[in-house]
Amino acid sequence: MNRRILDLKDELGTTLFERLPRGVRLTSAGELFVDYVRRTITELDAVDSHIEHLRGLVRGEVRIAAAESLAGDFLPRAIAKFNAEHPGVHFHIAVSGPEDMLAALARDEADLIIGHDLPRHPSVSILRSVPHPFCAVVARDHPLARRRSLKLRDCLAYPFAMADRSLAGRALIERALANASFCFEPALESNSIDAMKTYTRLSQAVCFQFRTGAMRDI
């Protein structure tokens, strides 16, 4: 390995690593070279996939980074339907927040990301965007349960669970509150949708979820 790195240094005419007291780190040239290698490997995988399509043998792995609300029901249903026709394709789903999803895509650790209200990123292209309701979720016997629509002010009389800042729902709530004359003090703050829904189900609390993440509970 060391000999090959030295050969690369000679071929490229520049240093790829700099030695530190405890290990090494990439130089700027090394980072460019690693990005090139990652892109090349991704392109080779894509070519291999296209060749398999030509042979009629659809196979391979698809790495998806997704919001928790989509990973619980929506994605497994879509994958099960796809695998019924293409059993040779394997999927890997990693649940994370918007920033981590974008970082995974940029580092070529994910082929596709699916989330809510994703921040814009110069190296990311949006393939499809779909409007999706953001809802207040309460227990069946909650005083607000029969209301067809709610304003955030209507929820002030009750404890509530709020997503932490790693999840897209938190940013939506904060944007809505930016010009409000009141603020929210959550009784529970979490990056787990299940934790927030369970707390809401066992109390008179309100939580806020994208409809996809709450469909199994409705």
Side-chain angles (χ1 to χ4, degrees):
M1 180 66 75
N2 189 57
R3 180 66 260 167
R4 184 59 188 132
I5 290 172
L6 291 174
D7 289 344
L8 276 173
K9 176 184 174 182
D10 292 339
E11 289 174 24
L12 298 172
T14 188
T15 301
L16 300 178
F17 295 91
E18 53 185 356
R19 298 191 180 278
L20 302 173
R22 295 186 178 183
V24 296
R25 70 181 173 194
L26 289 168
T27 63
S28 296
E31 290 176 354
L32 286 173
F33 186 75
V34 168
D35 286 341
Y36 162 75
V37 171
R38 285 175 175 161
R39 288 196 305 272
T40 301
I41 292 172
T42 300
E43 289 167 3
L44 281 172
D45 288 342
V47 169
D48 184 57
S49 176
H50 287 312
I51 291 172
E52 293 292 354
H53 273 287
L54 291 174
R55 293 174 179 168
L57 304 173
V58 180
R59 65 181 64 179
E61 181 183 38
V62 179
R63 302 163 302 167
I64 303 174
E68 183 184 353
S69 58
L70 297 165
D73 187 70
F74 173 80
L75 271 175
R77 285 178 181 272
I79 290 170
K81 183 178 179 181
F82 183 87
N83 276 152
E85 296 184 15
H86 308 291
V89 178
H90 304 285
F91 290 83
H92 179 268
I93 299 175
V95 173
S96 57
E99 296 293 344
D100 288 339
M101 283 192 279
L102 286 168
L105 193 63
R107 294 194 300 264
D108 195 35
E109 295 171 0
D111 304 305
L112 179 72
I113 61 177
I114 305 177
H116 306 288
D117 198 38
L118 293 170
R120 298 289 180 177
H121 193 283
S123 61
V124 172
S125 299
I126 297 175
L127 300 178
R128 182 75 182 271
S129 179
V130 180
H132 196 67
F134 189 60
C135 308
V137 179
V138 296
R140 292 181 186 277
D141 60 350
H142 195 281
L144 298 177
R146 296 186 180 277
R147 298 276 294 273
R148 293 188 63 84
S149 64
L150 291 173
K151 294 181 178 180
L152 288 177
R153 187 182 295 276
D154 299 329
C155 304
L156 288 175
Y158 306 95
F160 64 93
M162 182 180 283
D164 70 11
R165 286 184 169 82
S166 69
L167 301 182
R170 178 61 173 263
L172 289 177
I173 293 291
E174 289 186 342
R175 288 208 297 268
L177 291 172
N179 298 315
S181 58
F182 57 90
C183 62
F184 276 3
E185 291 294 335
L188 172 68
E189 188 174 1
S190 177
N191 66 346
S192 167
I193 289 174
D194 278 343
M196 290 184 282
K197 288 192 299 186
T198 299
Y199 173 73
T200 300
R201 194 160 45 238
L202 299 174
S203 67
Q204 290 291 292
V206 181
C207 72
F208 305 95
Q209 305 288 338
F210 291 97
R211 181 177 288 175
T212 297
M215 286 303 293
R216 286 182 298 172
D217 304 285
I218 295 173

